[in-house]
């Protein structure tokens, strides 16, 4: 007959009496909920690591049941297997099994799932230390221990409780994650637009005097065009990239060029941008100072006051007296499109590209 010290029998007896399958069954669903949320987070941030969560979730579920249940019997392993299965099913139905754009062989996924299920099952039950195995055999294997007959350790009470609670919590979590996805999808265009605006703002220059002091007049004028038209151009007139629109900053640069560099082109452009208010006087001052574009603008304006012949005569005279390519092109364009379009466009205060080259 097998002889076992009473001290070991008492120690194992106390461990067996602490078993609580129902407690483990009721608490493990509350571990499944954050696990699914974490799975969702991993899916969206570390897509390649998503399959490994099949293993990680099994380990966590097994340890959770082990901690709460303190069990030795097979019921605890069964609880772990089913809890892990429900979690994996919820992740699969939520589309979280693979990261976006990731592919993996089905046999590897199956292997990871089996590995996770086995780990959950193995870790859910407490292993008997070698020194206590004989005592455990006498108390729980040779004859059924009274703890196994208690209601809290009955599988037909623990398993349904765990399944119902897990399914309910996981379903609620899935709805929450789906709602979050829908919200993010609706927010995506706004976020993309905001990022684009942030990128544009980073490209823009500061319009403080200290910053503008570092720019040549030509560079400053190109940024006036950029702020006015939304496109930054090179010195040769080629498009570089899009730019944030800001009539205020365009005018700020022009005012700086007028005050600090007495630039007549800036005076003309500021007159264009503020023509509806008090810009006409600035355009006339620029023309008196010799700016060719200001002269062209004032000449063409006669047509807007029902004097097209005077406008045409003045423009033809300016074309003969100027040798610059861009001003001559400006005159030809006005004459070719007609004064009607010029007068209509004049109200929009355009900053044409040739003005800043």
């Amino acid at each position: 007959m097998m002889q076992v010290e009473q001290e070991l029998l008492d120690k194992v007896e106390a461990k067996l009496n602490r078993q609580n399958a129902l407690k483990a069954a009721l608490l493990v669903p509350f571990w499944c909920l954050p696990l699914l949320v974490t799975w969702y987070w991993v899916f969206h941030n570390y897509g390649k690591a998503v399959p490994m969560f099949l293993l990680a979730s099994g380990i966590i579920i097994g340890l959770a049941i082990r901690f709460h249940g303190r069990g030795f019997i097979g019921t605890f392993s069964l609880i772990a297997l089913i809890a892990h299965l429900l979690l994996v099913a919820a992740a699969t139905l939520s589309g979280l099994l693979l990261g976006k754009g990731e592919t993996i062989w089905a046999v590897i996924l199956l292997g990871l799932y089996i590995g996770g299920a086995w780990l959950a099952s193995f870790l859910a039950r407490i292993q008997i230390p070698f020194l206590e195995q004989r005592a455990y055999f006498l108390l729980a294997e040779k004859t059924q221990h009274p703890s196994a007959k208690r209601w809290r350790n009955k599988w037909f009470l623990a398993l349904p409780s765990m399944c119902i609670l897990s399914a309910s919590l996981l379903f609620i979590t899935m709805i929450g994650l789906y709602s979050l996805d829908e919200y993010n999808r609706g927010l995506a265009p706004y976020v993309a637009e905001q990022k684009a605006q942030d990128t544009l703002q980073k490209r823009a220059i500061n319009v403080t005097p200290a910053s503008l002091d570092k720019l040549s007049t030509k560079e400053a004028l190109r940024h006036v065009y950029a702020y006015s038209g939304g496109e930054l151009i090179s010195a040769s007139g080629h498009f570089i990239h899009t730019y944030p629109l800001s009539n205020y900053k365009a005018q700020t640069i022009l005012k700086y060029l007028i005050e600090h560099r007495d630039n007549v082109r800036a005076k003309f452009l500021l007159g264009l941008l503020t023509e509806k208010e008090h810009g006409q006087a600035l355009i006339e001052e620029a023309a008196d100072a010799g700016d060719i574009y200001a002269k062209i603008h004032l000449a063409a304006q006669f047509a807007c006051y029902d004097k097209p012949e005077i406008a045409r005569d003045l423009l033809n005279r300016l074309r003969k007296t100027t040798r610059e390519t861009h001003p001559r092109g400006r005159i030809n364009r006005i004459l070719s499109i007609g004064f009607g379009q010029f007068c209509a466009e004049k109200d929009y205060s355009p900053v044409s590209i040739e003005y800043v080259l």
Side-chain angles (χ1 to χ4, degrees):
M1 184 176 177
M2 185 180 296
Q3 297 294 324
V4 181
E5 294 179 8
Q6 187 61 42
E7 184 182 352
L8 285 177
L9 289 172
D10 293 341
K11 188 176 181 180
V12 174
E13 177 80 20
K15 290 182 178 180
L16 290 171
N17 286 327
R18 285 199 297 266
Q19 293 184 114
N20 195 328
L22 185 60
K23 181 180 178 182
L26 292 176
L27 291 178
V28 74
F30 292 95
W31 285 83
C32 291
L33 188 153
L35 279 173
L36 184 58
V37 173
T38 305
W39 203 320
Y40 175 87
W41 181 81
V42 172
F43 173 83
H44 285 284
N45 293 279
Y46 303 97
K48 291 183 178 180
V50 168
M52 297 306 298
F53 217 72
L54 291 166
L55 287 175
S57 60
I59 294 172
I60 294 171
I61 286 174
L63 292 175
I65 294 174
R66 184 192 191 96
F67 175 77
H68 295 298
R70 311 301 299 173
F72 296 87
I73 59 178
T75 302
F76 294 89
S77 292
L78 193 56
I79 293 173
L81 283 172
I82 297 176
H84 183 254
L85 176 62
L86 290 173
L87 175 63
V88 172
T92 303
L93 291 173
S94 300
L96 305 178
L97 199 57
L98 280 179
K100 293 178 181 178
E102 300 295 332
T103 57
I104 191 172
W105 287 355
V107 67
I108 296 178
L109 275 180
L110 179 61
L112 290 172
Y113 166 72
I114 293 173
W118 181 85
L119 285 169
S121 173
F122 176 78
L123 294 173
R125 296 172 61 183
I126 298 176
Q127 305 304 309
I128 304 297
F130 178 76
L131 294 175
E132 298 174 5
Q133 286 182 357
R134 294 169 63 186
Y136 180 79
F137 175 79
L138 289 175
L139 294 173
E141 292 184 353
K142 190 174 182 180
T143 58
Q144 190 178 37
H145 191 265
S147 63
K149 300 177 182 179
R150 292 172 185 164
W151 285 102
R152 67 186 188 188
N153 291 320
K154 295 291 186 181
W155 68 267
F156 55 78
L157 183 61
L159 288 177
S161 300
M162 186 274 297
C163 290
I164 293 171
L165 188 56
S166 291
S168 300
L169 290 176
L170 288 171
F171 180 71
I172 294 171
T173 306
M174 288 169 62
I175 293 176
L177 295 178
Y178 175 78
S179 301
L180 182 60
D181 272 339
E182 289 298 304
Y183 173 77
N184 287 334
R185 272 192 281 269
L187 197 64
Y190 169 78
V191 173
E193 182 180 353
Q194 190 62 43
K195 286 183 178 179
Q197 288 298 321
D198 291 343
T199 301
L200 287 178
Q201 293 301 329
K202 288 178 181 178
R203 290 173 176 171
I205 63 166
N206 291 324
V207 292
T208 59
S211 297
L212 295 175
D213 283 341
K214 300 175 184 178
L215 298 180
S216 68
T217 299
K218 284 291 186 182
E219 287 176 314
L221 287 174
R222 287 203 302 275
H223 281 89
V224 169
Y225 175 80
Y227 274 125
S228 178
E231 294 181 351
L232 183 64
I233 56 173
S234 65
S236 59
H238 293 98
F239 170 79
I240 300 177
H241 53 64
T242 53
Y243 213 76
L245 292 170
S246 176
N247 197 48
Y248 168 77
K249 290 186 176 181
Q251 292 183 30
T252 301
I253 297 174
L254 292 172
K255 290 175 182 177
Y256 165 85
L257 292 175
I258 294 169
E259 294 173 8
H260 295 268
R261 303 185 188 181
D262 195 26
N263 185 266
V264 292
R265 180 61 49 77
K267 189 173 292 187
F268 164 63
L269 293 178
L270 185 60
L272 278 182
L273 294 177
T274 59
E275 192 167 5
K276 290 183 180 179
E277 302 161 7
H278 49 76
Q280 185 67 19
L282 288 171
I283 296 174
E284 291 174 0
E285 288 180 25
D288 292 340
D291 187 78
I292 183 61
Y293 287 112
K295 293 179 180 180
I296 293 171
H297 187 84
L298 290 177
Q301 265 190 334
F302 279 98
C304 304
Y305 304 122
D306 296 326
K307 297 178 181 179
E309 293 304 321
I310 295 177
R312 186 173 289 105
D313 180 60
L314 290 173
L315 288 173
N316 282 325
R317 290 185 183 187
L318 287 171
R319 182 167 55 182
K320 291 177 182 178
T321 56
T322 183
R323 296 182 179 180
E324 296 179 63
T325 303
H326 292 312
R328 288 174 64 87
R330 178 66 178 165
I331 294 170
N332 291 333
R333 187 155 57 254
I334 293 173
L335 292 173
S336 63
I337 65 175
F339 293 117
Q341 185 170 337
F342 167 80
C343 293
E345 290 179 349
K346 186 173 72 69
D347 292 335
Y348 293 101
S349 302
V351 175
S352 298
I353 191 171
E354 62 259 33
Y355 294 159
V356 301
L357 293 177

